[in-house]
Amino acid sequence: MSRACVFLDRDGVINEKPPRGEYVTRWQDFRILPAAVDWIRLFNALDLLVVVVTNQRGVALGLMTEADLEDIHRRMLDSLSAAGARIDRIYYCAHHADSCECRKPQPGMVLRAQSELDIDLARSIMIGDSDIDEELARRSGLKFVRADEGRVTAVAGRGVPGAEP
Ligand SMILES: [Mg+2]
Ligand SMILES: [Zn+2]
């Protein structure tokens, strides 16, 4: 039977967002948000799939290699796993804008996950910190939850009382 999945953006959701226009290119600069660890533990306990979908154009721009990016992801998975939080799969787009079908908000990564992991998109959600993530959710038929540095600020387009949008 198809499973429900929580799709997570990376920067600004799992780890502290780098300054605008900058990229996290080294593990030393990767700061995991404690709230994200708790969320993922809960998703695991509910037997939801947890899949990361992230645009990492820094590779196309030559700021890091694909091996650097994969090294960061390996350490991220290890670090989360040591804290009892499991991510099932990471998909990234390392391409320039307008050169592929996977760069968010295009749904390429979500559709690939759907077919590889047998996901029921109608029962799944996307958690992201940007309008691009919201647009991806809209195009993929996912419910959207907006988060900002460890706080949920809106669910399915509705602001959360007391949260700064
Ligand atoms: Mg982000
Ligand atoms: Zn791409």
Side-chain angles (χ1 to χ4, degrees):
M1 198 179 87
S2 298
R3 293 175 67 187
C5 178
V6 179
F7 289 94
L8 296 171
D9 172 41
R10 199 194 79 177
D11 300 327
V13 174
I14 296 176
N15 57 291
E16 289 177 17
K17 201 174 2 210
R20 201 174 182 79
E22 291 184 30
Y23 299 82
V24 180
T25 59
R26 313 179 304 164
W27 175 247
Q28 297 93 291
D29 300 329
F30 197 93
R31 310 250 179 281
I32 292 180
L33 294 160
V37 180
D38 279 339
W39 298 346
I40 295 167
R41 288 176 180 139
L42 292 172
F43 302 147
N44 293 157
L46 287 163
D47 202 29
L48 301 168
L49 283 165
V50 180
V51 170
V52 172
V53 286
T54 179
N55 284 351
Q56 293 297 331
R57 192 165 61 114
V59 174
L61 296 174
L63 301 171
M64 61 181 149
T65 64
E66 205 153 344
D68 293 334
L69 179 62
E70 288 180 357
D71 179 62
I72 289 173
H73 287 166
R74 197 160 33 241
R75 291 168 187 252
M76 176 182 85
L77 292 180
D78 286 349
S79 179
L80 289 170
S81 165
R86 186 197 72 251
I87 285 175
D88 295 290
R89 195 71 68 89
I90 299 173
Y91 295 93
Y92 61 82
C93 167
H95 310 120
H96 283 295
D98 305 319
S99 71
C100 67
E101 284 165 8
C102 51
R103 185 172 164 80
K104 296 185 291 184
Q106 299 178 101
M109 293 189 282
V110 169
L111 297 178
R112 195 171 147 205
Q114 178 192 27
S115 97
E116 290 181 355
L117 301 170
D118 192 17
I119 293 167
D120 180 356
L121 296 181
R123 290 191 292 126
S124 300
I125 63 170
M126 169 77 213
I127 303 180
D129 68 336
S130 73
D131 293 345
I132 287 170
D133 295 317
E134 185 163 21
E135 176 63 12
L136 167 73
R138 196 187 62 76
R139 293 191 196 181
S140 310
L142 295 165
K143 200 171 284 175
F144 182 64
V145 173
R146 189 175 290 259
D148 184 46
E149 303 270 325
R151 297 203 61 202
V152 172
T153 57
V155 176
R158 301 180 60 157
V160 171
E164 299 296 320

